[in-house]
Amino acid sequence: MSQVKLKIAIQKSGRLYDDSIKLLNECGIELRNVKDRLKTESDNFPMEIFFLRDDDIPQYVEDGVADIGIVGENVLFEKNKKVEIVEKLGFSKCRLSIAVPRNETYDGPAYLQGKRIATSYPFLVNQFLEKEGIQAEIHEISGSVEIAPGIGLADVVADLVSSGSTLFMNGLKEVAAILQSQAVLIRNSGMDEVKLQILNKLLFRISAVKKSKRNKYVLLNAPNDRLDQIIAQLPGMKSPTVLPLAETGWSSVHSVINEDEFWDKIEALKAAGAQGILVVPIEKMIV
Ligand code: PRT
Ligand code: ZN
């Protein structure tokens, strides 16, 4: 009997590729030989993987050719397909921004009235202009949008920005963000129960991977007469583990610290008398 497989669409090559593969690997999903393939599968998880251009992924998922997919929100919202976002993945972060020549003074969206805007995102830019009540001319370009003002093709651009150096090198400055974007996991809205169960297994693993990245495992030595103050700094998953050391009067304390409060906690632990503090990355975290 052939086993049901969850079909996932990921980018064939480009900025999303490495992190998409890494996420699957961190979820313990081993992929058979991925090099230069259109399609592969996993030997240890019921999953088939399609490699596509990112622009095609929303359509494939809407049509159910793939059940799920990994794509940037910028592409997803531009394509405006009927799919559901199941999880924000936290990588490939960027923003779709309006940029104008550096010497221009931008005084708000009204600046764009009557201007020629070069972009690969006509739908999103149009939506923005309509919301702001601005009339402008959109010139759709598929690549190297940032050179359009320099060659007289447009007055301003709406393009993806991450560090901002591409804009800078082309004499442009970012003046307004239309959309903040990151990679998301999307799904077809009509998946059957069996596939939903596989998806839930995947989501459980993704959540364990994400949690592990936000937390560190901390081990330290504590004189027993300072244990109360030290433990008070460490909530841990339930409460910290305390084990006696071979040397009398000392204990080893183990716990988990969230990255948001990491340095504050380490300083507080040192001040409370902790010694030999070791910080270890967590591979998976299931709570
Ligand atoms: O071949 P395929 O169609 O699959 O790939 P692609 O060429 O369309 O996309 P790719 O691989 O370049 O990007 C895939 C996704 O990565 C995008 O859809 C975004 O969701 C995300 N992403 C994150 C980015 C950037 N950061 C980014 N900086 N995509 C593009 N850029 C480009 C931007 O267009 C500009 O040219 O990088 C330049 C700006 O970078 P900075 O750092 O100079 O600001
Ligand atoms: Zn693309």
Side-chain angles (χ1 to χ4, degrees):
M1 197 186 85
S2 80
Q3 192 196 16
V4 176
K5 292 186 184 211
L6 188 69
K7 292 178 280 181
I8 183 169
I10 64 172
Q11 194 188 25
K12 183 166 168 47
S13 67
R15 290 168 203 264
L16 293 160
Y17 175 82
D18 285 344
D19 284 326
S20 302
I21 295 284
K22 186 164 148 235
L23 178 70
L24 295 179
N25 286 336
E26 285 172 338
C27 288
I29 300 171
E30 288 161 19
L31 308 184
R32 253 187 237 168
N33 187 11
V34 294
K35 270 243 160 335
D36 302 322
R37 299 278 296 267
L38 296 177
K39 202 174 107 169
T40 188
E41 54 189 27
S42 170
D43 286 327
N44 66 352
F45 194 81
M47 178 179 274
E48 224 176 327
I49 300 95
F50 295 105
F51 298 101
L52 299 167
R53 284 201 57 198
D54 65 347
D55 313 69
D56 297 332
I57 291 174
Q59 181 76 62
Y60 273 72
V61 173
E62 183 186 88
D63 293 346
V65 177
D67 303 302
I68 62 173
I70 296 178
V71 69
E73 288 171 299
N74 53 313
V75 168
L76 177 64
F77 297 142
E78 174 67 23
K79 300 290 175 191
N80 198 22
K81 300 290 174 199
K82 288 191 197 65
V83 297
E84 291 172 32
I85 295 182
V86 271
E87 185 85 30
K88 296 202 178 221
L89 298 174
F91 58 79
S92 291
K93 286 190 174 167
C94 59
R95 51 206 183 269
L96 177 63
S97 289
I98 303 277
V100 306
R102 201 177 300 148
N103 53 7
E104 289 286 306
T105 307
Y106 178 87
D107 49 4
Y111 170 92
L112 299 169
Q113 185 68 37
K115 295 273 195 302
R116 296 167 303 162
I117 308 175
T119 188
S120 306
Y121 295 87
F123 179 80
L124 289 173
V125 173
N126 202 30
Q127 215 176 37
F128 170 77
L129 293 173
E130 269 179 18
K131 193 181 102 224
E132 299 292 344
I134 304 290
Q135 311 262 303
E137 230 179 89
I138 296 177
H139 287 251
E140 187 177 348
I141 309 184
S142 58
S144 302
V145 170
E146 65 281 356
I147 64 168
I151 59 173
L153 199 66
D155 305 305
V156 305
V157 304
D159 199 10
L160 297 181
V161 183
S162 46
S163 70
S165 62
T166 303
L167 292 181
F168 182 80
M169 284 186 308
N170 286 278
L172 301 171
K173 63 179 177 188
E174 184 181 4
V175 291
I178 297 180
L179 175 81
Q180 298 289 338
S181 174
Q182 61 176 287
V184 287
L185 185 72
I186 55 172
R187 79 166 178 93
N188 174 272
S189 47
M191 285 167 63
D192 65 29
E193 206 39 52
V194 180
K195 289 201 167 166
L196 280 175
Q197 273 178 20
I198 307 174
L199 174 60
N200 282 337
K201 268 190 173 186
L202 175 68
L203 289 175
F204 175 74
R205 295 187 187 192
I206 290 176
S207 133
V209 169
K210 280 169 91 179
K211 277 197 201 91
S212 72
K213 287 191 176 153
R214 288 198 300 271
N215 290 279
K216 298 275 182 254
Y217 194 74
V218 176
L219 306 92
L220 56 88
N221 295 332
N224 287 346
D225 58 354
R226 311 300 297 271
L227 265 179
D228 288 348
Q229 291 100 304
I230 288 171
I231 288 172
Q233 298 295 334
L234 291 170
M237 285 167 74
K238 275 211 164 49
S239 71
T241 308
V242 179
L243 303 165
L245 284 187
E247 188 177 332
T248 43
W250 284 80
S251 296
S252 169
V253 180
H254 301 198
S255 190
V256 171
I257 302 186
N258 188 285
E259 70 175 4
D260 298 335
E261 50 180 14
F262 179 75
W263 287 111
D264 289 343
K265 285 285 177 201
I266 295 293
E267 279 160 23
L269 287 167
K270 275 195 77 181
Q275 294 183 13
I277 304 174
L278 290 181
V279 180
V280 185
I282 299 172
E283 199 182 289
K284 305 280 184 301
M285 187 163 159
I286 293 123
V287 289

